Amino acid sequence: QQALRPRANPRGAGGPRPLPSIAPRAAPRRDSILTVDDEDIYTTEDCEFAAKKRKKDHFRNNANSQCFYREKWIYVHKESTRERHGYCTLGEAFNRLDFSSAVQDIRRFNYVVKLLQLIAKSQLTSLSGAAQKNYFNILDKIVRKVLEDQYNPRLIKDLLQDLSSALCILIRGVGKSVLVGNINIWICRLETILTWQQQLQNLQMNKQVNNGLTLSDLPLHMLNNILYRFSDGWDIITLGQVTPTLYMLSEDRQLWKKLCQYHFAEKQFCRHLIPSEKGHVDWKLMYFALQKCYPIKEQYGDTLHFCRHCSILFWKDTGHPCTANDPETCFMPVSPQHFIDLFKF
C-alpha cells in the first residue's frame, strides 16, 4: 500500500515532477584513447562476433555440409493427427534418409541415381531449400565416384541430361513455376551440371594390364552365360563392343528374346512384332521398341523398405523400432517410383 501512494513533491507546487535531463552518451571512437579494461571488452566482443559470423558462414556456404540425424528412418504420415501435427514431405524424407552414405554402397548406387533422376523430371520444385541443397551435394558425390571409379557412367549421363533439361525449362519460366532460392544460384548449378557433363564426356577408362586371365580367355559358354545375366539391353550392346567374339554373342536372337520375355508380357510384344529381312522376329529391335511403350523391370541390389504396420520408411540394414509380432511379414521393398508416390497427396 505504501508503494501505491503518490509521493509528495518536495518542491511544494503541484503538478508532475520534472524528469532530469539525460544527455545522450556518445559512442566511443575507435581512434580514441582506451583504458586497459575497455580494450579487453572490445577485443572480446569483436572476437566473439567474428567467430559467430565465421561459424554461420561455414554452415551456410559450405557445399559439403549435410543434415545429420540420429535415426536413419522416417515415419510417413499424410495427415494431422492428435499425436502428430502436419505431414511428411518428400524433401523431409530425402533429408532424413541417409542417401549420402548410400551412394558409397555399390548395392544402392543405381537405386539412388534412379531416384534422383525421377525427382529431376517431376519433383524438383517440390523440394525445400535444404532438400535441394542436399540433392546437389549427393549429386556431386555421385559424379566424383564415377570419375574416380569409372562405375556406370552411362547411368549418370542420363541423370545429368534429364536434370539439365528440367533446369533449362524452369529457368526460362521464372515467375510461372516455383523455384526455391535466387535465380543466380540455379544458373550456377546449371553451369556446374554442364561442367560435369563435359568431364564425363572426356572420361577414359583405365586399362589395367596384367598377365592373368582376361575376359577374352574365357570359353564361349561362360561368355554367353555372362551376357544372359544382364537385364539391360544397353549393357549387352556395350559389352559386345569389346571384342568380335562378344559382338557375335551379343547379336544372338535367343538372347534378346529372353530379354523381351523377362521385361514384357506376351500380350505386349505380340502387338509389336517386328520381322527381320529373313522373315524371323527381330527381338533386338522389339526390345527397344517395347521399352519406349512399356516400363521395364528394375533390379537393385538393395532398396528402401516400408513397414506397413508402423508406416515407417527405412533401410533394411539399419532397421526401425517395429512393434509388430512378426516384423518380417510387414516389410515391403520400395522402388524409386513408389518412394515418390508415397508423398503424393
Side-chain angles (χ1 to χ4, degrees):
Q1 294 179 356
Q2 293 179 358
L4 295 176
R5 294 176 183 175
R7 293 183 179 181
N9 192 345
R11 301 187 180 220
R17 183 180 179 183
L19 297 174
S21 59
I22 300 176
R25 183 179 179 182
R29 296 174 57 187
R30 292 283 180 165
D31 54 354
S32 60
I33 300 177
L34 302 176
T35 62
V36 177
D37 297 335
D38 292 336
E39 287 183 357
D40 294 339
I41 293 174
Y42 276 107
T43 303
T44 305
E45 291 180 353
D46 291 345
C47 291
E48 291 180 356
F49 176 77
K52 291 180 180 179
K53 189 175 186 306
R54 285 195 303 268
K55 186 177 181 181
K56 185 176 181 180
D57 292 342
H58 171 75
F59 286 103
R60 176 181 296 178
N61 299 326
N62 188 9
N64 295 324
S65 62
Q66 298 285 337
C67 298
F68 294 96
Y69 297 90
R70 180 179 301 176
E71 298 87 3
K72 302 302 180 183
W73 49 267
I74 187 169
Y75 176 77
V76 181
H77 55 289
K78 297 187 177 182
E79 58 183 4
S80 299
T81 61
R82 183 176 299 178
E83 293 79 10
R84 289 180 176 270
H85 178 69
Y87 53 89
C88 182
T89 63
L90 176 64
E92 183 180 357
F94 191 77
N95 286 337
R96 287 287 298 273
L97 299 172
D98 194 9
F99 288 104
S100 182
S101 299
V103 173
Q104 308 300 329
D105 192 337
I106 195 66
R107 301 171 301 167
R108 302 174 181 174
F109 182 84
N110 293 352
Y111 182 86
V112 177
V113 173
K114 182 63 177 180
L115 178 60
L116 264 63
Q117 188 175 11
L118 293 177
I119 292 176
K121 290 182 178 180
S122 60
Q123 302 296 320
L124 189 61
T125 56
S126 65
L127 298 180
S128 63
Q132 289 176 357
K133 184 176 181 180
N134 193 21
Y135 180 95
F136 283 94
N137 288 337
I138 296 174
L139 184 60
D140 178 64
K141 289 187 176 182
I142 292 175
V143 175
R144 290 183 181 180
K145 180 176 178 59
V146 174
L147 293 176
E148 293 175 0
D149 302 341
Q150 293 89 35
Y151 177 75
N152 207 345
R154 179 178 57 84
L155 194 62
I156 187 61
K157 287 180 181 179
D158 295 340
L159 167 60
L160 294 179
Q161 181 62 37
D162 293 337
L163 182 58
S164 61
S165 301
L167 286 184
C168 288
I169 296 174
L170 292 175
I171 291 175
R172 291 173 184 172
V174 173
K176 300 179 181 179
S177 60
V178 180
L179 272 177
V180 179
N182 193 298
I183 186 62
N184 295 324
I185 297 178
W186 288 98
I187 294 176
C188 292
R189 287 172 176 171
L190 181 59
E191 292 176 351
T192 303
I193 293 173
L194 297 177
T195 303
W196 287 339
Q197 288 179 320
Q198 188 64 36
Q199 291 176 351
L200 292 173
Q201 192 69 25
N202 300 331
L203 180 64
Q204 295 182 357
M205 299 296 179
N206 295 329
K207 297 182 179 180
Q208 297 181 358
V209 180
N210 51 32
N211 298 325
L213 189 67
T214 63
L215 188 64
S216 301
D217 299 328
L218 297 177
L220 291 179
H221 71 277
M222 295 186 66
L223 294 175
N224 196 38
N225 192 17
I226 292 174
L227 287 171
Y228 271 85
R229 299 291 180 178
F230 286 105
S231 61
D232 193 333
W234 285 109
D235 292 335
I236 296 176
I237 293 177
T238 304
L239 185 59
Q241 296 174 352
V242 177
T243 61
T245 303
L246 288 172
Y247 175 77
M248 178 192 65
L249 296 175
S250 66
E251 293 293 322
D252 183 23
R253 291 180 59 254
Q254 193 66 21
L255 172 65
W256 291 98
K257 181 180 179 180
K258 291 289 185 182
L259 197 62
C260 290
Q261 292 175 344
Y262 172 76
H263 286 289
F264 311 105
E266 186 176 355
K267 295 181 179 180
Q268 293 175 343
F269 59 75
C270 285
R271 298 173 184 174
H272 302 271
L273 289 177
I274 302 177
S276 62
E277 297 179 354
K278 298 181 180 180
H280 302 291
V281 178
D282 195 335
W283 293 103
K284 181 178 179 180
L285 292 179
M286 272 196 59
Y287 169 81
F288 291 104
L290 292 171
Q291 191 181 21
K292 297 178 181 179
C293 302
Y294 309 103
I296 62 176
K297 293 183 180 179
E298 299 177 356
Q299 288 184 340
Y300 303 104
D302 190 15
T303 66
L304 285 170
H305 283 71
F306 182 74
C307 180
R308 289 171 291 186
H309 181 267
C310 305
S311 297
I312 287 180
L313 197 62
F314 63 99
W315 292 106
K316 190 79 176 283
D317 58 347
T318 57
H320 77 286
C322 186
T323 58
N325 295 328
D326 191 3
E328 293 292 336
T329 59
C330 304
F331 296 169
M332 178 180 63
V334 178
S335 66
Q337 184 61 52
H338 186 200
F339 176 86
I340 295 177
D341 293 340
L342 285 174
F343 305 97
K344 285 185 177 180
F345 47 87

